[in-house]
Amino acid sequence: CFIVDAGDAVYVWTGRGATSDERKQGMVHAQTYCSQNNKPQARISKVAEGAETPLFKEQFAGWTDFIMPTFGLPVNPQPAREKREIDFASLASIQNPAETMVDDGSGKLDVYRVEKLDKALVDKDLVGRFFAGDSYICLYTYMKGTKECYIIYFWLGRNSTTDEKAAAA
């Protein structure tokens, strides 16, 4: 374990090789450190090796996410992966059932624009044109046997109001 003093915060960094006693005593040592160094208000945080937070990492200039040295323990590098040829044509031919169309596209599409927290039908000649200041609801109706089915999509314009986005969703 290491204690890192970052001014208003004190971190207890615990490595993977730390014993159970070291893990338990880390916080005790940090509290002792704070009291001996007149830091009663310091926030003490526990940090585990490999799970370092951005706040902890920013205490070290040039921190990069790399494997910390094991200090004498043998390092087992990952074996190189075997390179294999990829048959992209066969990958493209695989169809996930979730990716298949529900019908032949002959269903009915109604597009609504959210206006004053209500929906207004968009003219057929404007369907497919979405504006950044608006939010839209698209209702696709199709038949599955004798049953009428629906798919609802919504499009939230980058500049539409929060109320319009909420009404569309």
Side-chain angles (χ1 to χ4, degrees):
C1 290
F2 291 94
I3 295 176
V4 177
D5 186 345
D8 61 340
V10 173
Y11 296 95
V12 178
W13 182 87
T14 308
R16 289 188 183 104
T19 66
S20 177
D21 288 336
E22 289 171 330
R23 292 175 195 273
K24 290 176 189 173
Q25 292 299 313
M27 292 299 278
V28 173
H29 290 302
Q31 290 169 340
T32 303
Y33 173 83
C34 287
S35 64
Q36 289 175 349
N37 291 281
N38 198 24
K39 293 180 165 282
Q41 302 298 321
R43 184 183 71 247
I44 301 174
S45 300
K46 203 171 196 178
V47 180
E49 179 181 359
E52 292 88 354
T53 64
L55 288 173
F56 178 79
K57 290 177 185 179
E58 75 180 10
Q59 305 306 316
F60 303 92
W63 177 288
T64 56
D65 288 322
F66 61 94
I67 298 172
M68 296 292 289
T70 57
F71 301 107
L73 296 175
V75 177
N76 296 329
Q78 294 291 328
R81 289 192 173 185
E82 178 184 325
K83 289 187 178 182
R84 294 183 283 166
E85 289 292 321
I86 299 173
D87 182 4
F88 290 103
S90 67
L91 286 175
S93 68
I94 298 172
Q95 282 195 343
N96 181 343
E99 295 174 354
T100 58
M101 298 295 291
V102 294
D103 70 350
D104 60 1
S106 61
K108 178 183 171 200
L109 176 65
D110 291 316
V111 179
Y112 301 91
R113 183 167 51 92
V114 176
E115 287 182 7
K116 298 179 184 148
L117 305 181
D118 201 6
K119 61 183 196 266
L121 189 63
V122 173
D123 290 334
K124 293 290 182 199
D125 57 326
L126 294 176
V127 169
R129 297 177 73 191
F130 298 108
F131 298 94
D134 294 318
S135 290
Y136 298 86
I137 302 167
C138 303
L139 174 64
Y140 182 71
T141 307
Y142 65 98
M143 297 301 291
K144 190 172 190 178
T146 58
K147 182 180 174 187
E148 193 171 66
C149 300
Y150 307 95
I151 300 175
I152 301 173
Y153 300 96
F154 59 90
W155 188 89
L156 308 176
R158 178 181 338 144
N159 300 328
S160 63
T161 66
T162 304
D163 289 343
E164 287 176 339
K165 290 177 182 179

